Amino acid sequence: MTSAQVDTSEKDSGKATGSSEASEASEEGYERGLGSRQVQMIAIGGAIGVGLFLGAGANIAKAGPSLILMYALAGAIVFFIMRALGELLLYRPVSGSFAEYSREFLGPFFGYFTGWTYWLMWVVTGMAELTAAAIYVNYWFPSVPQWVTALVFLVILFGVNLISVKVFGELEFWFSMVKVTALIGMIVIGLGVLTFGFSSAGDTASVANLYQFDGFFPKGVGSSLMTLQGVMFAYLAVELVGVTAGESENPEKTLPKAINTLPWRIALFYVGALTVILCVVKWTEFAPGVSPFVAAFAKIGIPAGAGIVNFVVLTAALSSCNSGMYSTGRMLRNLADSGEAPAVFRKLSASKTPAFGITVSVLFMGIGVVLNYVVPEKAFGYVTSVATAAGIWTWLMILISHVLYRRAVEAGRLPASSFPAPGGAVCSWIAIAFLLFVTCLIAYDADSRVCLYVMAGWAAALGVGWLVLKNRNPEVAARHETAPLEKAN
């Protein structure tokens, strides 16, 4: 074992033991209770969220049919990110993978920063999704106070995550099944309208709707590019499959399969669904704040179509919140394993779940329920933009870690992964450039720019926290400080 490999083992365990057994310390106690069926559906569900069901309406109004191209472009970048993550996961499958790889290849501060930032992403996403779920329920039961519904969902999902990882996986499997079935049904119905001309939309449904009304880029290329920030939000959580690595029954088989099916999932559920909808209903009939799927069903004239889509969107919101509770607990335990969070987060319950970390995260999500009850609706959008910025950071860390890992493999310092990314580090560099471009778009847009201010404040707070941590426990940082230098030599 080389000195770099010994150092890597020390980082995995959070203890300066220098033994190969240390690399498994952070994984001790977890139950590998997620089967192939569940991991596949978690991966599929991660690619279908509220960003598609609701966010696409506002983006269609901004970009017209060209939004299809934006989703395809962003989807290609997301695939590059996931293949980079896949190579790292098969090199060393661990729960809390993003923080671990940042810690290994960039140093302890980046692992600390990435872990806490990913935790923040899911906490604020949970706040948003709980409130969204309550709004969707109000569609059927307007007399029920919104905060009551949000609180009920919070408690139910909290209980599910405390029982066991198997129960979480099973619930997420059925959440994803609802979303997948609904989208396939929408696509089939839309194709039927286009082919056979039935329903009230049959007379106007046509592929020509993609270019007849002011062209494919009706608002200009610039306006289309500005939708990329919203499109990237729609893809958030696709990386969740990486968090499941430490609890998958057979990560060497299930993870590559889940990642390799991503292109057809994006092609079918995003590009395919939007293409069919924009062929059935011309883009000028869609408006911000209205789900394009609801609008399309109303145009076709399907009975209870709006109610069906409302149920699907509710499922998407609960699925996202459920995933958030799962990932935050695991990330806090990973941070605690490395001495970057209180040691109490390392404890597992009798059901082998990081119960304390989940509980603390749920309490913060509960604060969001209260806040979203009293703040204006615009603040709701701010929360999702913060989640997007945190997600972009996570993706950047995955990509940079992959580039550094490939350098280490080429230099013979680390073993090659059994699941190498096509194109090596080149695709990762392309994805890095793209994410930086999207960040510039966020900075340019006055409405979304606020999330960068929030992230700057978050970075300052984490910086202060790191200084305090180093002063109290210098070994947390000192044991890793030589690693980046060794890897660079």
Side-chain angles (χ1 to χ4, degrees):
M1 181 178 290
T2 67
S3 60
Q5 288 171 314
V6 170
D7 184 74
T8 300
S9 297
E10 292 173 357
K11 283 185 283 188
D12 296 342
S13 65
K15 302 174 184 178
T17 63
S19 67
S20 60
E21 295 177 356
S23 64
E24 301 299 324
S26 65
E27 299 305 301
E28 287 180 0
Y30 276 138
E31 176 187 8
R32 289 195 177 271
L34 295 177
S36 176
R37 171 179 64 92
Q38 293 167 327
V39 172
Q40 293 298 318
M41 269 300 176
I42 288 172
I44 293 173
I48 306 171
V50 176
L52 172 64
F53 287 118
L54 284 181
N59 288 326
I60 290 173
K62 292 179 182 178
S66 65
L67 183 65
I68 298 170
L69 180 60
M70 297 300 105
Y71 269 104
L73 174 61
I77 298 300
V78 167
F79 180 62
F80 292 164
I81 295 169
M82 291 304 295
R83 281 306 303 258
L85 177 59
E87 182 166 357
L88 292 169
L89 287 172
L90 270 294
Y91 148 66
R92 192 163 63 91
V94 290
S95 184
S97 55
F98 324 120
E100 272 297 300
Y101 302 136
S102 300
R103 192 174 292 117
E104 177 177 355
F105 296 105
L106 290 163
F109 174 76
F110 287 93
Y112 158 86
F113 194 99
T114 300
W116 280 109
T117 300
Y118 195 67
W119 175 83
L120 172 71
M121 185 195 91
W122 275 114
V123 166
V124 297
T125 298
M127 293 178 186
E129 301 293 6
L130 280 171
T131 304
I135 293 172
Y136 303 146
V137 170
N138 280 352
Y139 175 83
W140 296 295
F141 306 104
S143 61
V144 178
Q146 182 174 310
W147 69 270
V148 172
T149 308
L151 182 61
V152 169
F153 285 139
L154 182 69
V155 172
I156 292 174
L157 294 178
F158 176 50
V160 166
N161 274 270
L162 289 185
I163 296 173
S164 75
V165 69
K166 288 183 178 179
V167 175
F168 158 79
E170 197 63 26
L171 183 62
E172 197 60 29
F173 172 85
W174 289 108
F175 275 154
S176 297
M177 182 66 76
V178 169
K179 293 185 286 186
V180 169
T181 303
L183 272 180
I184 292 176
M186 293 173 189
I187 292 171
V188 170
I189 292 171
L191 290 174
V193 173
L194 283 171
T195 304
F196 302 107
F198 63 81
S199 86
S200 57
D203 294 336
T204 57
S206 171
V207 175
N209 285 338
L210 296 178
Y211 55 83
Q212 274 189 339
F213 301 93
D214 297 324
F216 190 69
F217 292 90
K219 300 293 185 69
V221 175
S223 183
S224 298
L225 290 175
M226 289 303 295
T227 65
L228 282 174
Q229 51 188 306
V231 169
M232 295 308 291
F233 172 73
Y235 284 120
L236 283 185
V238 71
E239 77 291 329
L240 182 64
V241 67
V243 183
T244 70
E247 293 170 276
S248 300
E249 289 179 351
N250 192 348
E252 290 78 12
K253 291 184 179 180
T254 58
L255 295 178
K257 185 177 179 182
I259 292 171
N260 279 335
T261 56
L262 184 64
W264 74 257
R265 284 186 268 125
I266 290 173
L268 178 64
F269 298 130
Y270 279 94
V271 178
L274 284 174
T275 300
V276 170
I277 282 180
L278 289 171
C279 287
V280 172
V281 182
K282 57 185 180 181
W283 74 269
T284 54
E285 296 187 22
F286 295 108
V290 178
S291 169
F293 296 93
V294 173
F297 269 44
K299 180 71 173 179
I300 294 172
I302 295 177
I308 294 172
V309 174
N310 194 70
F311 173 75
V312 173
V313 175
L314 170 63
T315 302
L318 294 179
S319 172
S320 180
C321 189
N322 188 43
S323 298
M325 290 183 188
Y326 171 86
S327 59
T328 50
R330 274 70 184 173
M331 194 58 69
L332 286 178
R333 188 177 188 233
N334 178 270
L335 288 164
D337 282 331
S338 300
E340 297 160 358
V344 68
F345 289 120
R346 295 191 73 246
K347 295 181 180 179
L348 293 179
S349 67
S351 58
K352 300 182 180 179
T353 62
F356 188 77
I358 294 173
T359 302
V360 170
S361 301
V362 166
L363 288 175
F364 276 95
M365 292 181 189
I367 294 173
V369 173
V370 177
L371 290 176
N372 279 296
Y373 177 72
V374 296
V375 297
E377 288 187 4
K378 198 167 187 179
F380 189 79
Y382 291 159
V383 170
T384 58
S385 67
V386 171
T388 304
I392 287 176
W393 172 270
T394 300
W395 289 340
L396 282 171
M397 290 300 99
I398 291 171
L399 293 165
I400 294 172
S401 296
H402 177 250
V403 169
L404 295 177
Y405 166 71
R406 289 302 294 254
R407 288 182 182 176
V409 171
E410 291 169 2
R413 295 193 298 270
L414 289 175
S417 170
S418 60
F419 188 48
V426 174
C427 291
S428 289
W429 280 116
I430 294 173
I432 289 170
F434 180 85
L435 292 178
L436 293 177
F437 174 66
V438 173
T439 303
C440 292
L441 293 178
I442 292 174
Y444 181 77
D445 185 3
D447 288 335
S448 60
R449 191 183 304 149
V450 65
C451 76
L452 298 182
Y453 301 144
V454 173
M455 290 305 296
W458 175 252
L462 285 183
V464 172
W466 180 250
L467 293 176
V468 172
L469 186 64
K470 286 181 67 175
N471 288 332
R472 290 184 176 180
N473 186 11
E475 292 182 1
V476 171
R479 66 172 178 261
H480 303 303
E481 283 177 350
T482 60
L485 295 176
E486 289 178 2
K487 294 179 187 299
N489 293 330

